[in-house]
Amino acid sequence: MNGKLQGKFAVVTGAGSGMGRAISARFAVEGATVAALDVNSEAAQETADIIESHGGQAISVRVDVSDAASVTRAAQLVTSRFERVDILANNAGVLDSYAPLLETSEELWDHVLNVDLKSLFLVTKALLPTMIDRGGGVVVNTSSIAGFVAGGGGIAYTSAKHGVIGFTKQLTADYGRKGIRANAICPGAVETEMTQSLFESGDAAVMESVRAVPAGRYAQPEEIANLALFLANDESAFVHGAAYLIDGGWTVR
Protein backbone atom coordinates (compact mmCIF):
# COMPACT_ATOMS: atom_id res chain seq x y z
CA MET A 1 0.00 0.00 0.00
CA ASN A 2 1.14 3.51 -0.74
CA GLY A 3 1.77 5.66 2.32
CA LYS A 4 0.22 9.02 2.98
CA LEU A 5 3.41 10.77 1.85
CA GLN A 6 4.34 8.47 -1.01
CA GLY A 7 6.64 10.23 -3.47
CA LYS A 8 7.03 13.32 -1.29
CA PHE A 9 10.31 14.97 -0.32
CA ALA A 10 10.56 16.19 3.27
CA VAL A 11 13.09 18.29 5.16
CA VAL A 12 13.18 18.00 8.96
CA THR A 13 15.36 20.19 11.18
CA GLY A 14 16.49 18.99 14.59
CA ALA A 15 16.19 15.50 13.12
CA GLY A 16 19.01 13.96 15.13
CA SER A 17 16.97 13.07 18.20
CA GLY A 18 13.67 13.29 20.02
CA MET A 19 10.68 14.67 18.15
CA GLY A 20 12.74 15.44 15.06
CA ARG A 21 13.90 11.84 14.73
CA ALA A 22 10.37 10.56 15.35
CA ILE A 23 8.93 12.93 12.73
CA SER A 24 11.59 11.94 10.21
CA ALA A 25 10.91 8.25 10.78
CA ARG A 26 7.13 8.69 10.57
CA PHE A 27 7.40 10.60 7.31
CA ALA A 28 9.68 7.92 5.88
CA VAL A 29 7.34 5.09 6.90
CA GLU A 30 4.61 6.87 4.97
CA GLY A 31 6.74 6.98 1.83
CA ALA A 32 8.57 10.31 1.98
CA THR A 33 12.24 10.72 1.13
CA VAL A 34 13.69 12.59 4.11
CA ALA A 35 16.51 15.07 4.54
CA ALA A 36 17.49 14.81 8.21
CA LEU A 37 19.07 18.11 9.26
CA ASP A 38 20.81 18.63 12.57
CA VAL A 39 23.72 20.56 14.06
CA ASN A 40 25.06 17.18 15.22
CA SER A 41 26.13 15.50 11.99
CA GLU A 42 26.54 12.08 13.62
CA ALA A 43 23.04 12.20 15.07
CA ALA A 44 21.61 13.29 11.71
CA GLN A 45 23.38 10.41 9.99
CA GLU A 46 22.11 7.99 12.62
CA THR A 47 18.54 9.09 11.86
CA ALA A 48 19.13 8.59 8.14
CA ASP A 49 20.65 5.16 8.82
CA ILE A 50 17.65 4.13 10.91
CA ILE A 51 15.29 5.13 8.11
CA GLU A 52 17.28 3.28 5.48
CA SER A 53 17.60 0.18 7.66
CA HIS A 54 13.81 -0.03 7.59
CA GLY A 55 13.63 0.32 3.82
CA GLY A 56 13.17 4.07 3.61
CA GLN A 57 15.17 6.74 1.83
CA ALA A 58 17.04 9.52 3.61
CA ILE A 59 20.04 11.79 3.54
CA SER A 60 21.69 13.59 6.43
CA VAL A 61 22.84 17.20 6.38
CA ARG A 62 24.69 19.11 9.06
CA VAL A 63 23.30 22.59 9.63
CA ASP A 64 23.38 25.28 12.27
CA VAL A 65 19.84 26.59 11.84
CA SER A 66 20.72 29.84 13.60
CA ASP A 67 23.45 30.71 11.06
CA ALA A 68 22.45 32.10 7.66
CA ALA A 69 25.51 30.83 5.79
CA SER A 70 25.09 27.32 7.20
CA VAL A 71 21.40 27.30 6.26
CA THR A 72 22.21 28.46 2.72
CA ARG A 73 24.72 25.65 2.27
CA ALA A 74 22.29 23.07 3.61
CA ALA A 75 19.47 24.31 1.39
CA GLN A 76 21.71 24.15 -1.66
CA LEU A 77 22.71 20.58 -0.82
CA VAL A 78 19.11 19.50 -0.29
CA THR A 79 17.86 21.06 -3.51
CA SER A 80 20.74 19.51 -5.43
CA ARG A 81 19.80 16.03 -4.14
CA PHE A 82 16.00 16.30 -4.13
CA GLU A 83 13.71 16.79 -7.11
CA ARG A 84 11.74 19.25 -5.02
CA VAL A 85 10.77 20.01 -1.42
CA ASP A 86 7.16 19.17 -0.56
CA ILE A 87 7.30 19.30 3.23
CA LEU A 88 9.38 21.37 5.64
CA ALA A 89 9.23 20.53 9.35
CA ASN A 90 10.93 23.28 11.34
CA ASN A 91 11.54 21.33 14.52
CA ALA A 92 14.99 22.35 15.81
CA GLY A 93 14.89 23.91 19.23
CA VAL A 94 16.57 24.42 22.58
CA LEU A 95 15.31 25.02 26.12
CA ASP A 96 16.14 27.76 28.61
CA SER A 97 15.73 25.75 31.85
CA TYR A 98 12.68 27.83 32.83
CA ALA A 99 14.90 30.87 33.47
CA PRO A 100 12.93 34.01 34.44
CA LEU A 101 13.89 37.43 33.10
CA LEU A 102 16.32 38.40 35.85
CA GLU A 103 18.16 35.08 35.50
CA THR A 104 18.35 35.26 31.70
CA SER A 105 21.61 36.56 30.25
CA GLU A 106 21.73 38.29 26.91
CA GLU A 107 23.72 35.32 25.62
CA LEU A 108 20.99 32.86 26.66
CA TRP A 109 18.27 35.10 25.22
CA ASP A 110 20.05 35.35 21.87
CA HIS A 111 20.80 31.63 21.72
CA VAL A 112 17.21 30.57 22.41
CA LEU A 113 15.63 33.15 20.09
CA ASN A 114 18.11 32.33 17.32
CA VAL A 115 17.55 28.57 17.45
CA ASP A 116 13.85 28.54 18.28
CA LEU A 117 12.60 31.44 16.15
CA LYS A 118 15.19 32.98 13.85
CA SER A 119 15.82 29.51 12.43
CA LEU A 120 12.29 29.41 11.02
CA PHE A 121 12.96 32.67 9.20
CA LEU A 122 16.26 31.41 7.78
CA VAL A 123 15.28 27.86 6.81
CA THR A 124 11.84 28.68 5.46
CA LYS A 125 13.16 31.63 3.46
CA ALA A 126 15.86 29.40 1.96
CA LEU A 127 13.44 26.66 0.85
CA LEU A 128 10.17 28.49 0.21
CA PRO A 129 11.03 29.70 -3.31
CA THR A 130 11.60 26.19 -4.61
CA MET A 131 8.38 25.03 -2.95
CA ILE A 132 6.40 27.81 -4.60
CA ASP A 133 8.07 27.21 -7.96
CA ARG A 134 6.98 23.57 -7.86
CA GLY A 135 3.37 24.41 -7.05
CA GLY A 136 3.41 24.68 -3.26
CA GLY A 137 4.07 22.63 -0.18
CA VAL A 138 3.53 22.21 3.53
CA VAL A 139 5.35 23.86 6.43
CA VAL A 140 4.96 22.32 9.90
CA ASN A 141 6.50 24.43 12.67
CA THR A 142 7.15 23.19 16.20
CA SER A 143 5.94 25.65 18.80
CA SER A 144 4.93 24.64 22.33
CA ILE A 145 2.30 25.14 24.99
CA ALA A 146 4.65 28.03 25.80
CA GLY A 147 3.32 29.61 22.61
CA PHE A 148 -0.06 29.93 24.35
CA VAL A 149 0.57 30.31 28.07
CA ALA A 150 3.25 31.13 30.59
CA GLY A 151 4.77 28.34 32.66
CA GLY A 152 5.88 26.09 29.82
CA GLY A 153 9.35 27.57 29.80
CA GLY A 154 11.35 30.61 30.79
CA ILE A 155 11.17 34.14 29.38
CA ALA A 156 13.26 33.41 26.28
CA TYR A 157 11.60 30.11 25.39
CA THR A 158 8.10 31.46 25.93
CA SER A 159 8.82 34.54 23.83
CA ALA A 160 10.28 32.44 21.03
CA LYS A 161 7.42 29.95 20.96
CA HIS A 162 4.81 32.72 20.87
CA GLY A 163 6.79 34.02 17.91
CA VAL A 164 6.60 30.67 16.14
CA ILE A 165 2.80 30.84 16.15
CA GLY A 166 2.86 34.41 14.84
CA PHE A 167 5.34 33.41 12.14
CA THR A 168 3.09 30.52 11.12
CA LYS A 169 0.00 32.70 10.84
CA GLN A 170 1.74 35.42 8.84
CA LEU A 171 3.32 32.83 6.53
CA THR A 172 -0.19 31.55 5.86
CA ALA A 173 -1.54 35.03 5.16
CA ASP A 174 1.32 35.86 2.81
CA TYR A 175 1.70 32.61 0.87
CA GLY A 176 -1.45 30.54 1.28
CA ARG A 177 -2.69 31.55 -2.16
CA LYS A 178 0.66 30.51 -3.61
CA GLY A 179 0.20 26.93 -2.48
CA ILE A 180 1.93 27.08 0.88
CA ARG A 181 0.04 25.54 3.80
CA ALA A 182 1.59 26.31 7.19
CA ASN A 183 0.58 25.08 10.64
CA ALA A 184 2.14 24.76 14.08
CA ILE A 185 2.40 21.92 16.58
CA CYS A 186 2.33 22.92 20.24
CA PRO A 187 3.48 20.07 22.51
CA GLY A 188 3.45 20.02 26.26
CA ALA A 189 5.84 17.81 28.21
CA VAL A 190 7.50 15.32 25.86
CA GLU A 191 9.91 12.61 26.98
CA THR A 192 13.04 13.23 24.90
CA GLU A 193 16.79 13.34 25.43
CA MET A 194 16.61 17.14 25.66
CA THR A 195 13.97 17.22 28.39
CA GLN A 196 15.14 14.20 30.38
CA SER A 197 17.63 16.09 32.54
CA LEU A 198 15.08 18.82 33.21
CA PHE A 199 12.41 16.39 34.34
CA GLU A 200 14.94 14.42 36.39
CA SER A 201 16.28 17.54 38.10
CA GLY A 202 13.64 17.34 40.81
CA ASP A 203 12.81 21.05 40.43
CA ALA A 204 9.59 21.47 42.40
CA ALA A 205 7.90 23.88 39.98
CA VAL A 206 8.68 21.73 36.95
CA MET A 207 7.56 18.50 38.57
CA GLU A 208 4.35 20.01 39.90
CA SER A 209 3.41 21.32 36.47
CA VAL A 210 3.95 17.91 34.88
CA ARG A 211 2.10 16.03 37.64
CA ALA A 212 -0.93 18.26 37.07
CA VAL A 213 -1.32 17.20 33.42
CA PRO A 214 -4.73 15.49 33.12
CA ALA A 215 -3.27 12.73 30.95
CA GLY A 216 -1.03 11.83 33.89
CA ARG A 217 2.11 11.32 31.84
CA TYR A 218 4.56 12.86 29.38
CA ALA A 219 3.97 12.57 25.64
CA GLN A 220 6.13 10.24 23.59
CA PRO A 221 7.91 11.68 20.52
CA GLU A 222 5.97 9.30 18.27
CA GLU A 223 2.70 10.91 19.38
CA ILE A 224 3.97 14.29 18.25
CA ALA A 225 5.08 12.71 14.97
CA ASN A 226 1.54 11.44 14.38
CA LEU A 227 0.23 15.01 14.50
CA ALA A 228 3.04 16.18 12.21
CA LEU A 229 2.02 13.49 9.73
CA PHE A 230 -1.60 14.65 9.79
CA LEU A 231 -0.58 18.24 9.10
CA ALA A 232 1.87 17.18 6.37
CA ASN A 233 -0.54 15.11 4.29
CA ASP A 234 -3.62 15.89 2.25
CA GLU A 235 -6.05 14.80 4.97
CA SER A 236 -5.52 18.26 6.47
CA ALA A 237 -5.75 20.11 3.14
CA PHE A 238 -8.14 22.73 4.54
CA VAL A 239 -6.11 23.34 7.72
CA HIS A 240 -4.23 26.61 7.28
CA GLY A 241 -2.51 28.79 9.90
CA ALA A 242 -3.59 26.66 12.86
CA ALA A 243 -1.73 26.02 16.10
CA TYR A 244 -2.49 22.54 17.46
CA LEU A 245 -2.12 21.87 21.17
CA ILE A 246 -0.94 18.34 21.95
CA ASP A 247 -0.35 18.60 25.67
CA GLY A 248 -2.32 15.91 27.48
CA GLY A 249 -4.66 18.62 28.76
CA TRP A 250 -1.92 20.73 30.38
CA THR A 251 -3.47 24.04 29.28
CA VAL A 252 -7.02 23.31 30.45
CA ARG A 253 -6.01 24.22 33.99
Side-chain angles (χ1 to χ4, degrees), residues 95-117:
L95 301 173
D96 64 358
S97 299
Y98 285 77
L101 175 63
L102 296 182
E103 296 173 22
T104 299
S105 65
E106 183 177 0
E107 180 182 17
L108 177 60
W109 172 271
D110 287 345
H111 178 57
V112 173
L113 268 291
N114 285 342
V115 175
D116 290 2
L117 182 57

Side-chain angles (χ1 to χ4, degrees), residues 3-250:
K4 295 178 179 180
L5 302 179
Q6 197 67 39
K8 302 290 187 180
F9 292 85
V11 177
V12 182
T13 69
S17 62
M19 293 187 296
R21 175 169 287 176
I23 291 169
S24 298
R26 193 75 175 93
F27 286 179
V29 165
E30 293 293 334
T33 300
V34 177
L37 276 59
D38 201 281
V39 69
N40 184 329
S41 58
E42 293 182 358
Q45 184 59 52
E46 185 175 338
T47 297
D49 289 343
I50 291 170
I51 289 171
E52 293 188 333
S53 72
H54 288 82
Q57 299 182 65
I59 64 171
S60 68
V61 181
R62 186 198 177 277
V63 63
D64 177 352
V65 292
S66 68
D67 179 76
S70 181
V71 169
T72 296
R73 289 192 297 270
Q76 290 173 342
L77 193 154
V78 168
T79 54
S80 71
R81 297 283 300 276
F82 282 8
E83 298 175 18
R84 60 189 182 276
V85 174
D86 301 298
I87 302 160
L88 168 60
N90 284 308
N91 171 77
V94 293
L95 301 173
D96 64 358
S97 299
Y98 285 77
L101 175 63
L102 296 182
E103 296 173 22
T104 299
S105 65
E106 183 177 0
E107 180 182 17
L108 177 60
W109 172 271
D110 287 345
H111 178 57
V112 173
L113 268 291
N114 285 342
V115 175
D116 290 2
L117 182 57
K118 181 183 176 182
S119 66
L120 274 69
F121 166 77
L122 293 176
V123 177
T124 309
K125 188 174 183 180
L127 293 175
L128 198 68
T130 187
M131 298 174 78
I132 292 173
D133 288 347
R134 296 303 297 264
V138 177
V139 179
V140 180
N141 297 320
T142 300
S143 181
S144 165
I145 60 165
F148 281 89
V149 298
I155 190 72
Y157 186 79
T158 300
S159 299
K161 293 305 184 179
H162 270 71
V164 170
I165 294 176
F167 179 91
T168 302
K169 291 182 176 181
Q170 192 61 47
L171 192 66
T172 298
D174 291 340
Y175 297 103
R177 291 183 179 272
K178 294 186 178 181
I180 301 300
R181 189 165 60 81
N183 293 287
I185 295 173
C186 304
V190 184
E191 190 173 351
T192 68
E193 295 92 332
M194 186 169 69
T195 60
Q196 185 176 7
S197 61
L198 182 62
F199 293 143
E200 291 180 350
S201 67
D203 182 273
V206 174
M207 299 315 298
E208 177 58 32
S209 65
V210 174
R211 280 193 295 267
V213 175
R217 63 176 178 85
Y218 310 145
Q220 295 301 307
E222 292 75 16
E223 293 175 300
I224 310 303
N226 288 338
L227 178 55
L229 172 63
F230 168 70
L231 294 174
N233 80 77
D234 291 341
E235 291 179 346
S236 60
F238 201 61
V239 181
H240 288 250
Y244 274 75
L245 284 164
I246 178 168
D247 65 353
W250 184 323

